[in-house]
Amino acid sequence: MRAVFVWPLRAGAARFGTLTGYRSRPGPLTGRQAHDGLRVADVLAGQLLAWHPGAEAAHGGRGAAGAVEVHRIEVHQAAGVLSHRLGVAVDEALVRLRAQAYAADRPVTDIAHDILRELPP
């Protein structure tokens, strides 16, 4: 990776995430590329805002909604627990949580629920 580009996910004045792009060669984007990235981020933001948990079942499975799962509160709670247990930063804990889900071929929310169930009452 030689360049990183970030566009805001937004709805009006509210910002609720980012779209990150990477490139193997250094240097800035052209004006057209930067504009296109912002357009993609706006479309993605609209899709995320229109998504309703459980609605994907009507369309034959998890589909693109699987990418949204990492923004669920229990995933971030579990990342916080892992961060404390492992003595690593929260972003590192989230990466490890996602890696565990990938290795186990399970949704990241399932792994997060497993971690949260282990907590004492």
Side-chain angles (χ1 to χ4, degrees):
M1 168 177 53
R2 299 283 179 118
V4 177
F5 308 98
V6 181
W7 295 272
L9 297 181
R10 60 192 179 172
R15 308 274 194 269
F16 59 90
T18 59
L19 170 66
T20 307
Y22 305 93
R23 189 167 63 193
S24 61
R25 59 184 167 79
L29 295 174
T30 65
R32 172 80 180 187
Q33 290 169 326
H35 181 262
D36 288 348
L38 190 56
R39 289 181 60 199
V40 169
D42 287 344
V43 169
L44 178 60
Q47 292 295 314
L48 289 172
L49 291 172
W51 178 71
H52 300 286
E56 65 276 3
H59 301 298
R62 286 176 50 215
V68 176
E69 288 182 355
V70 297
H71 299 291
R72 305 235 356 204
I73 188 68
E74 57 270 17
V75 172
H76 292 285
Q77 291 170 341
V81 170
L82 282 179
S83 172
H84 178 75
R85 283 185 188 165
L86 302 174
V88 298
V90 175
D91 58 342
E92 171 68 19
L94 182 58
V95 168
R96 291 183 184 201
L97 180 65
R98 293 173 71 188
Q100 175 61 35
Y102 179 79
D105 194 28
R106 294 177 59 204
V108 70
T109 51
D110 288 358
I111 302 296
H113 289 151
D114 291 348
I115 291 167
L116 296 175
R117 274 193 288 271
E118 297 171 3
L119 294 175

